[in-house]
């Protein structure tokens, strides 16, 4: 999967959770799904937090941009 798709998947999972399912179980599902997505993209799933792999960087950027409330196109990120 391309880094841009991973970025949007990570960011938009949180946006959809915020809009449609603000329950703790919904948040758990978002985190679980991102963990498994990172596991598919990285050899060591827990190391994606510090990994230099492009897929891991994209997932981190999507999560961080959600919490910074940066939405819109990711062309310059």
């Amino acid at each position: 999967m391309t880094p841009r798709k991973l970025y949007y998947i990570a960011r938009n999972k949180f946006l959809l959770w915020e809009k449609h399912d603000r329950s703790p179980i919904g948040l758990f599902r978002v985190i679980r799904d991102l963990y498994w997505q990172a596991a598919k993209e990285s050899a060591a799933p827990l190391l994606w937090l510090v990994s230099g792999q492009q897929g891991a960087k994209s997932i981190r950027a999507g999560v961080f941009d959600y919490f910074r409330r940066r939405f819109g196109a990711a062309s310059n990120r």
Side-chain angles (χ1 to χ4, degrees):
M1 193 170 296
T2 67
R4 183 166 302 236
K5 284 183 182 178
L6 290 172
Y7 168 84
Y8 283 120
I9 286 170
R11 190 190 69 188
N12 291 343
K13 277 190 179 290
F14 280 103
L15 280 172
L16 289 171
W17 166 76
E18 179 181 319
K19 185 174 181 181
H20 297 289
D21 183 16
R22 292 193 57 101
S23 70
I25 291 174
L27 180 60
F28 172 77
R29 286 183 190 129
V30 168
I31 293 169
R32 180 196 63 197
D33 290 350
L34 287 177
Y35 172 82
W36 286 113
Q37 187 67 44
K40 287 194 307 190
E41 300 297 325
S42 175
L46 291 178
L47 293 179
W48 72 272
L49 292 169
V50 294
S51 174
Q53 293 178 334
Q54 192 62 35
K57 285 181 180 180
S58 298
I59 292 172
R60 280 195 312 265
V63 171
F64 293 144
D65 281 353
Y66 167 78
F67 286 110
R68 288 185 219 137
R69 310 304 289 174
R70 291 177 60 186
F71 306 123
S75 60
N76 296 331
R77 296 179 193 151

